[in-house]
Amino acid sequence: MHNMVPILVVVLAVSVGTFMLFAVDARARSEVADWLSRNGFQLLEIEARAFKKGPFTFTGSPNQHVFRIEARDSAGGIVKGWARYGDWVFGWMSDEVEVRWDDA
């Protein structure tokens, strides 16, 4: 039985870590969608970006989540851009969302 304790600890740690990754990603997506809604947009597509981060490539931290987004504006037009969730230091513990639209 004593041999099982380390295995159970590892399984528990991996399970909690996996849950946290999915929970933080879901929260980031939700905060971006809320920001868009508050600013008169309807989210159409959102894609997490780990490497190609557009205008946020060299200006963010690993604590932030970057998404490629497509939205409908209040006039019915389709706009594309980039959204960054979380602040530089505290990451997902902040509700900060920054959006940069592609040039038309």
Side-chain angles (χ1 to χ4, degrees):
M1 181 65 176
H2 294 294
N3 293 342
M4 294 295 292
V5 172
I7 294 171
L8 292 175
V9 168
V10 169
V11 168
L12 180 63
V14 168
S15 298
V16 169
T18 301
F19 172 78
M20 288 297 296
L21 286 174
F22 283 107
V24 169
D25 182 68
R27 180 174 177 198
R29 290 170 185 269
S30 175
E31 291 292 334
V32 169
D34 289 348
W35 185 96
L36 290 168
S37 180
R38 284 192 310 272
N39 289 279
F41 296 92
Q42 175 190 9
L43 180 63
L44 301 175
E45 289 186 29
I46 185 167
E47 179 185 342
R49 292 293 181 97
F51 300 107
K52 293 182 180 180
K53 297 183 178 186
F56 301 119
T57 300
F58 299 110
T59 62
S61 80
N63 299 327
Q64 296 172 307
H65 294 260
V66 175
F67 299 96
R68 181 75 174 140
I69 58 173
E70 183 175 307
R72 178 173 284 118
D73 63 21
S74 58
I78 304 297
V79 293
K80 294 182 180 185
W82 298 86
R84 176 168 58 188
Y85 169 72
D87 77 6
W88 200 83
V89 175
F90 297 108
W92 59 270
M93 295 188 325
S94 161
D95 292 338
E96 187 176 320
V97 174
E98 181 180 355
V99 173
R100 294 193 190 165
W101 299 112
D102 294 348
D103 294 331

